Amino acid sequence: MVSIRRRVVITGGAGFLGSHLCDRFLQEGYEVVCIDNLLTGTLDNIAHLFGHPRFRFTCYDVTNFLYVEGSVDAVLHFASPASPKDYQIYPIQTLKVGSLGTHKALGLAKAKGARFLLASTSEVYGDPLVHPQSEEYWGNVNPIGVRGVYDEAKRFAEAMTMAYHRYHGLQTRIARIFNTYGPRMRLDDGRAIPTFIVQALRGEPLTVHGDGLQTRSVCYISDMVEGIFRLLHAEVVEPVNLGNPDEISIVALAREIREIAGSSSPIVFAPLPVDDPRVRRPDIHRAQELLGWEPAVSRREGLHRTIEDFRRRLGIATR
Ligand code: UDP
């Protein structure tokens, strides 16, 4: 019997973003094939999905030839270490999954006649000389710096995706994802939000890098998932920025987290990592116009929900 059910492959499906996407596509009635080699992803993120009749998990490194049985309607390529700490621990895997992995995921989409969506990143803009960053900006990336392994892999991935679109006529989508946070982020992934939350909840000092005046614009996970879902179904080949333009300095973010967590931890200053971008804020006009999308969850609300999730996972009771 021919299945009429829609079917998606999500690489990196056991990661933070990927696992929330698995949830969303299952809710929408899709069959979900989640592929992950668990390098930085974890089965904890998808444990609740085992036994779901439309969910399948394969532990596999997508830098190798990728085979999936049966029909596939869409391939979402989310596999990659994604925090600066992780991609500096795994520089070669990061380069491989962004380059070879993207090639394999594109090849799978082509073989299946499926739509392809690339998880790209605001890191393609590097340390931006234009603020806020619109999709037209080509970026300011140090190719040989410590962050280059991620930035250049994603830039290559975008180029490869466009080549498959132009040369093979593949239906492709590119999401340029800005800093995203929420429940299930790894407690030790090294990023600002999880680090500050864990420090605040444990009563340890919050480690702000540099003078803390560098900025980021942070998007709550449910908003990001909505944007990605809409982008997949829209007719937009050009890259689309997805993120929350609500910009904040890192030291102000640390204070906000400390306050919401009800913590009295001190804030201490640590050296600024090499090539740490000075500013970052998405221009989301394209997403607003073409997807009718914009973030709906305020930073306070998002942080509150995230802190509750961290409390639970750390075994710290709600006050
Ligand atoms: N940061 C910080 N303290 C930490 C972790 C990160 O001050 O314990 C800073 C980091 O140097 C950067 C910003 O917070 O300026 C955001 O870092 P993150 O790792 O979350 O992501 P990035 O946007 O740099 O990829």
Side-chain angles (χ1 to χ4, degrees), residues 15 18 39 47 65 84 99 106 137 153 166 208 218 231 233 285 291:
L39 183 68
F65 182 80
S99 55
L106 281 161
Y137 180 48
R166 295 197 182 104
V208 169
V218 297
L231 176 60
H233 296 95
H285 285 100
L291 313 181

Side-chain angles (χ1 to χ4, degrees), residues 78 117-126 128 130-139 155 158 173-180 217 219 223-232 234 236-246 280-295:
F78 278 70
L117 187 145
L118 174 70
S120 186
T121 169
S122 57
E123 287 281 319
V124 300
Y125 303 123
V130 167
H131 193 65
Q133 295 77 55
S134 82
E135 293 86 348
E136 269 91 50
Y137 180 48
W138 291 355
R155 289 167 69 95
E158 288 198 9
R173 307 287 177 260
I174 297 174
R176 288 195 180 145
I177 298 170
F178 284 66
N179 294 65
T180 303
S217 308
C219 184
D223 285 330
M224 183 55 62
V225 166
E226 180 63 28
I228 292 163
F229 192 79
R230 287 192 193 202
L231 176 60
L232 179 69
V236 194
V237 172
E238 299 77 40
V240 177
N241 284 343
L242 294 176
N244 191 327
D246 190 6
R280 193 181 278 158
R281 168 155 53 105
D283 175 329
I284 61 164
H285 285 100
R286 189 176 282 179
Q288 284 169 321
E289 271 165 44
L290 301 178
L291 313 181
W293 174 87
E294 60 184 20

Side-chain angles (χ1 to χ4, degrees), residues 84 123 147 179 190-192 195-196 207-209 214 216 250 272-273 276 280:
E123 287 281 319
R147 298 177 84 111
N179 294 65
R191 281 189 273 209
T195 305
F196 294 157
T207 52
V208 169
H209 296 160
Q214 69 274 29
R216 294 295 185 270
I250 293 301
L272 188 70
D276 199 278
R280 193 181 278 158

Side-chain angles (χ1 to χ4, degrees), residues 7-8 10-15 19 22 26 31-39 41-47 49-61 68:
R7 194 152 181 260
V8 290
I10 303 178
T11 76
S19 64
C22 289
L26 288 169
E31 273 186 30
V32 173
V33 178
C34 167
I35 305 178
D36 202 301
N37 68 348
L38 304 178
L39 183 68
T42 163
L43 290 180
D44 293 344
N45 288 340
I46 50 169
L49 301 178
F50 285 96
H52 190 297
R54 285 183 279 107
F55 180 75
R56 204 177 87 196
F57 170 71
T58 305
C59 187
Y60 190 73
D61 178 350
V68 173

Side-chain angles (χ1 to χ4, degrees), residues 64-220:
N64 300 307
F65 182 80
L66 197 48
Y67 174 75
V68 173
E69 221 169 79
S71 69
V72 175
D73 300 289
V75 176
L76 291 92
H77 184 41
F78 278 70
S80 179
S83 79
K85 177 180 163 191
D86 285 345
Y87 54 70
Q88 287 169 45
I89 295 172
Y90 303 112
I92 296 171
Q93 288 95 328
T94 301
L95 281 159
K96 284 177 74 179
V97 77
S99 55
L100 307 180
T102 301
H103 184 222
K104 299 296 179 284
L106 281 161
L108 174 67
K110 176 169 161 270
K112 300 290 183 181
R115 204 167 261 215
F116 178 83
L117 187 145
L118 174 70
S120 186
T121 169
S122 57
E123 287 281 319
V124 300
Y125 303 123
D127 190 3
L129 304 177
V130 167
H131 193 65
Q133 295 77 55
S134 82
E135 293 86 348
E136 269 91 50
Y137 180 48
W138 291 355
N140 178 39
V141 170
N142 174 5
I144 58 162
V146 286
R147 298 177 84 111
V149 295
Y150 184 66
D151 305 5
E152 295 295 6
K154 291 292 188 182
R155 289 167 69 95
F156 174 94
E158 288 198 9
M160 190 62 134
T161 301
M162 290 308 294
Y164 264 68
H165 171 70
R166 295 197 182 104
Y167 188 75
H168 292 303
L170 198 73
Q171 288 259 25
T172 56
R173 307 287 177 260
I174 297 174
R176 288 195 180 145
I177 298 170
F178 284 66
N179 294 65
T180 303
Y181 70 99
R184 291 188 199 154
M185 283 187 101
R186 251 183 34 238
L187 304 174
D188 64 346
D189 86 353
R191 281 189 273 209
I193 290 180
T195 305
F196 294 157
I197 295 178
V198 169
Q199 291 167 336
L201 292 177
R202 288 187 173 150
E204 296 164 0
L206 274 60
T207 52
V208 169
H209 296 160
D211 57 11
L213 298 180
Q214 69 274 29
T215 67
R216 294 295 185 270
S217 308
V218 297
C219 184
Y220 189 64

